[in-house]
Amino acid sequence: MAAPQIISRTIAVILATCSVVAPAAVARDIHFEQRNEVGHLLGPYNSAFFFRHNSSFRYSGAFHFHHSLQHDLLQLTPLERRHAVDAEFDQRVFDFVREKKAYTEPTMELYGQYVARMAWRVYRAIDWTHMHHEQTYDIMSDAGIPWEKKKEWTDKAVAYYLKKNPVARSVAPLDVTMRRAGVMMKPYFTYYRNYYPQSNSQAWIAHWWHPVIYEAIMISGNGRAQEQNIGATNATMFDAVYPDRPERMLLSREIMPRYSRMSPESANIFDNLHMLHGVVYDILAYEGWSESEKRAELYRFIDAMSYRPGDERLARKFRTPYPNVDPRVYSPWMRGPEGEMSRIMKEMMDEMMPMMMPKGMSPARKAQVMAQFKMKMKMGMQPGEIPGSLHDAMMKMMPGMTMDPAAVEPGKTPQKMVDTMLAGWERKYGGMPDIAPWPMEHQPHATTTASN
Amino acid sequence: MTRSIYLGTLGALAGFFAWTPAHAADHTNLEEGLPLEIEDAYPIGRGSFELQGFARFERTAEGKDLYRLVPRLEVGIASNTQFTVEVPFELGPAVEDEGIGDVSASFLYNINTETLSLPALGIVGGAVFPTGPDSHGVDPFATFILTKTLGTSSHMHRVHLNLQGLYNSDAQPNEREALYKMVVGYSVRLGADTILLADYVREQEREEGKTINLAEIGLRRQVTPRLVLVAGVGVGLDDDSPDFRATIGFQFSPGAPWFGRGNYGVAGYGYSK
């Protein structure tokens, strides 16, 4: 029999086998969706970051390698094997970053093909927002765009990002979007940071790195100081940040105050993306739900933190606690668990507690609850920490706690809880004046010496 | 002589891919002819356009040399839909009248993204126009595409199937009225920036009784965020098929033009005191 006939008949057998196997696949969860991908915005600055700051481009690619593969590792690894996987992945990511193995900017599917097929819209949201990172880095890196025009181009990139894809992250600050999400009492919340602390710390290094690179450009201007200051910031990553990793997710307002004032929309988009990563990883690490239940919750969460018309009115509702931060310096306040993220979470806990414990609790009990809450917010498991999620810990400590079923079920929003928390935010911050824009009329005096 | 060409081409390809620095983009989106016949079920993004082209050397079954230069334009005209037009040029001793070949235009629509239970499915509808010498009639064609990932490895092992039917609307004596083409392919990710692919092609020629069978292998490599370079080789599996073919090509994706302004379509956009 000639080779072509052998090959043709082999293919026929494969197709016949598939027709038998397909019914088995049908018995599995079936869902149908389309990719609905959108082209990246064309601009004169495209690829400026790649060509001008190629090392940094490749560090970014390495972090996105982490983000990509992390999805499949969490979904496919039984929790009982997490310690070994966590350690091995941490080393692999560090090697990837140090050796700049990512020539490419990985899409989430490139290393995370299983979750791509399980919940495509998650990747659509992440890749679309990584596109905005790419656009905004390019604009800031392109010396051909005058300094006073950077904001105009950035605003156009923001508008394109928001208008062209319904999975765009909101331009409202994380304080608002995290309340909308209503995730804190879900049975998965804190799984990633508690059970995969080393992998989580890589994410928090990435979420330190991305903002400080913007800020390094903001203190440099368009000239050669960009190369010097970005280089110094990258050196800080290896010399200081990796040996003593951040214990919380740093927010844009903390470590890129200048850029946040120049483009608060972008700053909030990135904070919302970084939070999305963490919660998605929580859901994937959790073993109590099926894949279809996880997908329902993932999509609910993505929708909850998506852009809504009118969010731009909230974009400047934040303060910058460290307005003169030097991005090249890893200051002590950047390292610990206390900061803007923990403040937001604690406020939300305080807003939820009266609903969950309508009869109140004694000061001593409250102190125990908040102590357990603080442990849950930290990476890894602390001595005395109750296993499981924040919800599990709260239920153990307060068995009589009143819980909206939607607060714990996949794909459901605890609307009353969300409304209560948003009302709390409105009372505290709704009337705060917008943070002032950052003046871009003149380039900064190029500083090339790090200061504390 | 032929063996020298084979080995020389393989050596040059190996050197090229060992040396070339590689950087981001969509090297995972397989396109027909770039560098193999196999394509996957996914179009380019809505609003974007892509410039593509490949150059192919082929030693025909008759032992003559054929050179094809194929520039191509792809446009993401709608969600999950791309439009493609290509204008081939054919040169060399295998061609009686050198010059433009048959222009083709087509639409690819992706029915669904691959899920854990369903492969990705796509359909192509298009036509070949009689712009080449000795061409007759507008020939419509349709292609069914399937893409399926295998297992849970992060290397993206995938199989692809293309089934095409073409209607030869003005069939000449000794020509088939209907032709089919079947391509079965495999792709895998090597590192972050390179895709290895292979396929088997079975394609009926217009000439009655003639069917080619080819095996091909190639690489797709991202060299900048906007540029993919490709190279591949193929060998015929019987006497009716070309002895050998070698292809190099590129894909350049500038992005999606947009003429909106910073506050375009975004209600209330701006700074408020």
Side-chain angles (χ1 to χ4, degrees), chain A residues 67 114 124 127 144 175 182 185 192 198 225 230 237 270 299 308 331 339 353 357 371 374:
Chain A
H67 293 341
Y114 190 89
R124 193 169 164 227
D127 286 341
D175 316 58
M185 284 296 118
Y192 182 50
Q198 291 174 274
I230 286 179
M237 176 171 66
F270 299 143
Y299 287 7
R308 301 176 189 183
S331 301
M353 288 305 287
M357 295 294 289
K374 276 182 123 176

Side-chain angles (χ1 to χ4, degrees), chain A residues 65-227:
Chain A
F65 156 76
H66 164 274
H67 293 341
S68 172
L69 183 51
Q70 186 72 93
H71 293 99
D72 279 17
L73 283 179
L74 292 170
Q75 177 60 26
L76 297 173
T77 303
L79 268 182
E80 63 201 24
R81 289 191 46 235
R82 66 185 183 277
H83 297 294
V85 169
D86 191 34
E88 189 273 335
F89 186 52
D90 178 59
Q91 186 62 49
R92 189 172 170 189
V93 172
F94 179 69
D95 292 343
F96 213 103
V97 175
R98 183 188 57 204
E99 296 169 32
K100 294 185 282 189
K101 287 185 182 178
Y103 290 95
T104 255
E105 175 64 44
T107 59
M108 292 301 97
E109 183 183 35
L110 196 64
Y111 288 90
Q113 56 90 353
Y114 190 89
V115 174
R117 295 182 286 146
M118 181 182 129
W120 172 253
R121 204 185 311 161
V122 172
Y123 284 8
R124 193 169 164 227
I126 295 171
D127 286 341
W128 186 241
T129 313
H130 284 174
M131 183 277 297
H132 189 60
H133 261 313
E134 188 181 311
Q135 291 278 320
T136 47
Y137 280 138
D138 284 344
I139 289 166
M140 298 307 292
S141 303
D142 187 354
I145 294 181
W147 194 254
E148 65 271 16
K149 293 289 187 184
K150 299 279 189 193
K151 177 162 173 60
E152 185 179 321
W153 282 99
T154 301
D155 285 350
K156 178 176 176 175
V158 169
Y160 184 85
Y161 169 81
L162 295 177
K163 181 175 174 57
K164 289 294 187 177
N165 199 326
V167 294
R169 305 297 79 207
S170 175
V171 297
L174 187 62
D175 316 58
V176 172
T177 55
M178 199 61 196
R179 286 167 164 88
R180 286 178 184 167
V183 296
M184 282 180 72
M185 284 296 118
K186 292 283 181 172
Y188 54 75
F189 189 64
T190 72
Y191 256 61
Y192 182 50
R193 74 185 73 190
N194 292 154
Y195 289 135
Y196 287 88
Q198 291 174 274
S199 302
N200 190 122
S201 72
Q202 289 281 0
W204 286 350
I205 290 172
H207 301 161
W208 164 85
W209 183 87
H210 273 301
V212 293
I213 294 299
Y214 287 107
E215 202 69 353
I217 298 176
M218 289 298 285
I219 66 170
S220 303
N222 259 341
R224 301 306 294 176
Q226 265 198 34
E227 279 79 355

